[in-house]
Amino acid sequence: DIPWNSLGYTIWQLLRVATRAPNTASADLVLGATGGAIAAIVLTPVDVVKTRLMTQSTADAVQYSGILATLARVAREEGAG
């Protein structure tokens, strides 16, 4: 959760500065939701790769060899959506 929260908060701050949004609850809601959505879009594939690498065993038929190879294989075999 730390990378997701860090990225979401950073994007929220960047959006706040870039849009010169007022300091209101509704502006914070929109900017926070946008920052969280962008963080989820960016970090979900990273989390999938991490999980695949951490849970594989030598008995598994599918073996992953590294971060980029796993990302490419998941995208190729399972698609992006």
Side-chain angles (χ1 to χ4, degrees):
D1 284 345
I2 291 173
W4 184 82
N5 288 329
S6 299
L7 184 59
Y9 183 74
T10 300
I11 293 169
W12 172 75
Q13 286 288 0
L14 291 172
L15 288 172
R16 179 182 267 296
V17 170
T19 62
R20 296 184 181 139
N23 190 16
T24 63
S26 60
D28 284 345
L29 175 68
V30 171
L31 296 176
T34 303
I38 293 170
I41 290 168
V42 169
L43 292 177
T44 297
V46 174
D47 195 44
V48 169
V49 168
K50 176 194 68 130
T51 302
R52 297 285 172 94
L53 289 171
M54 289 177 65
T55 59
Q56 73 179 344
S57 69
T58 56
D60 288 341
V62 176
Q63 291 292 312
Y64 301 101
S65 60
I67 295 171
L68 294 178
T70 302
L71 184 61
R73 185 173 185 172
V74 169
R76 182 178 62 249
E77 294 178 2
E78 300 175 31

